[in-house]
Amino acid sequence: MLLAQIFAVIIFLVMFTLIITEKFERHQVTLVCGALTLICVFGIGFGFSSKSVLAISETLNIKDVFSLGFWYTKNAHLSSKGIDWATILFIAGMMVMVEGMARVGFFRWLCMRLAKAVNYKVIPIFITFMLLSAVLSMFIDSITVILFLAAVTVELSFLLDFNPISMILAEIFCANLGGSSTMCGDPPNIIIGSKLGYTFMDFLCNTGIIALIGLIFTLAYFYFICRKEFSQHGRKIDRRTFPRPESAITDKTGFFISCIIFACAIILLITHAQTHLSVAAIGVFIAFVTLVTSGKYIIMLIKNIDYKTLLFFVGLFIVVGGLEQTGILELIANLIEKTSAGNPYVLIAIIIWVSAIASAFIDNIPFAATMIPVIQSLAVTSGIPLATMSWALSIGTDIGGSATPIGASANVVGTSVSAKAGYSISWARYCKISVPATVMVIVISTIYMFIVYLPAK
């Protein structure tokens, strides 16, 4: 077992290092490391025994996909180890839906409509787009939200003559904050929810409240540090020369259908605790309806799916499975418990702040996947409810990732869109604005969790 543990740790550290350096594509790194885990950890480390076969079977976790409980969760008892196929299928389904919405111009229409509603004034657009970023990210992947929102922001900056960098940075932060409030808003939450059995409403009633409080302070923060910049820019021009929002719609029939599908997705997610439909079933159903109603664009939508991200998840779950099968995650849980000395306040603070700091420098997706079995072990040994630690992990990973340009995928996308438009964002500029906001929200979240979740401790 010692040899297997050594292999598991080395492979995991190598994977993280390569992801951070970005010398290779993320999915290539995790897939190669996943293959090495199967060979070195489960094969050589376990001595090619019957234990090897069992470990590989539990990690690949294919059998769950063919069980009724995978699609209909009532009274289901699925394995929490290995590849989380429910998360992968759900994300894939949402990707198809979002591609369908993008094709018909939904996102660009929405942004242009809101800009027109505030008469194209820069500061009202600034506040409105922050709110829009947070709200959309509750239901749509934050990467997609920022991709279109940043593009529209750049377009408006040309028309209104202002520098879009601060607005894009605010939108990125609000997207990550809004994504923390629901199960489908951010990939770490999808992983936490599907692995531990939490619903859309579970997140909304817990992390959602924290995110709402944080959003109020965030709006005030960005307004006060950016109001002077935006009030001094902009120019008076004839508003009639602006493009009409309706011009963004490329397919009116498809637009109407996409709105209905989006509404159905939200309803299914909100009610899946009552319907007992798993997130995998919802994702597959939404993808199927989107494709069926897309007509000649089916092939295009399938081609546009981000397969690299899905493969990234597959490799990642295998590597984390190696740590889990060899007992490394249990050792980490014991170390955290000893460090906290049985103090629940210290334990929750460690989970939030370690998650936040780690997610600022490494991708929050693999970190969240790694920490789930850790908090499961801590729930057994510390006596603190698993749900409490889950909300702490969710907030820490989601918000902490906002601090640096590489902390979350939405950050990378937003800064990339800005750079392509000629507005390069340096690390110094990014961190100067986002780090204080991140620390502020994490402090607020920690205090809130102490007051609400640990009153009897």
Side-chain angles (χ1 to χ4, degrees), residues 38-50:
L38 295 176
I39 297 170
C40 298
V41 178
F42 300 147
I44 299 174
F46 285 175
F48 296 100
S49 61
S50 58

Side-chain angles (χ1 to χ4, degrees), residues 153-338:
T153 299
V154 169
E155 182 178 326
L156 287 174
S157 73
F158 292 146
L159 295 172
L160 299 174
D161 190 26
F162 68 89
N163 189 311
I165 290 179
S166 295
M167 192 176 295
I168 290 174
L169 292 180
E171 291 163 359
I172 290 172
F173 192 91
C174 288
N176 290 326
L177 182 58
S180 70
S181 63
T182 66
M183 179 178 169
C184 61
D186 215 29
N189 288 10
I190 298 173
I191 296 172
I192 293 170
S194 60
K195 280 281 188 180
L196 303 180
Y198 299 127
T199 66
F200 182 95
M201 293 305 297
D202 288 334
F203 276 95
L204 189 62
C205 295
N206 290 279
T207 60
I209 295 175
I210 299 175
L212 177 60
I213 296 172
L215 180 61
I216 294 172
F217 282 89
T218 297
L219 291 173
Y221 167 80
F222 278 104
Y223 172 76
F224 282 111
I225 68 170
C226 298
R227 71 187 190 282
K228 186 176 181 181
E229 172 187 352
F230 290 133
S231 63
Q232 293 177 342
H233 291 77
R235 58 186 176 185
K236 293 182 178 180
I237 61 177
D238 188 353
R239 308 296 178 184
R240 292 173 296 181
T241 63
F242 283 82
R244 295 182 302 106
E246 291 74 17
S247 66
I249 301 176
T250 60
D251 181 348
K252 291 184 179 181
T253 301
F255 181 88
F256 178 72
I257 294 173
S258 291
C259 290
I260 294 177
I261 293 174
F262 182 46
C264 288
I266 295 175
I267 293 172
L268 288 173
L269 286 168
I270 292 175
T271 61
H272 84 98
Q274 289 72 42
T275 62
H276 303 293
L277 292 174
S278 70
V279 291
I282 294 172
V284 170
F285 172 75
I286 292 298
F288 175 77
V289 174
T290 301
L291 292 174
V292 168
T293 57
S294 296
K296 63 181 181 180
Y297 298 101
I298 292 179
I299 302 300
M300 184 192 76
L301 295 185
I302 294 176
K303 287 182 177 180
N304 287 342
I305 294 174
D306 188 357
Y307 293 102
K308 292 181 179 180
T309 295
L310 302 179
L311 292 174
F312 166 77
F313 276 116
V314 172
L316 168 66
F317 284 129
I318 294 175
V319 174
V320 173
L323 296 176
E324 189 172 15
Q325 293 285 345
T326 56
I328 295 297
L329 297 183
E330 187 177 350
L331 294 176
I332 295 174
N334 292 335
L335 177 62
I336 293 176
E337 185 182 16
K338 288 181 180 179

Side-chain angles (χ1 to χ4, degrees), residues 73 114 124 148 190 198 201 219 244 271 281 283 306 346 359 366 391 425 431 442 448:
T73 60
L114 290 174
F148 289 94
I190 298 173
Y198 299 127
M201 293 305 297
L219 291 173
R244 295 182 302 106
T271 61
D306 188 357
V346 175
S359 296
W391 311 141
I425 303 176
C431 294
I442 292 297
Y448 179 88

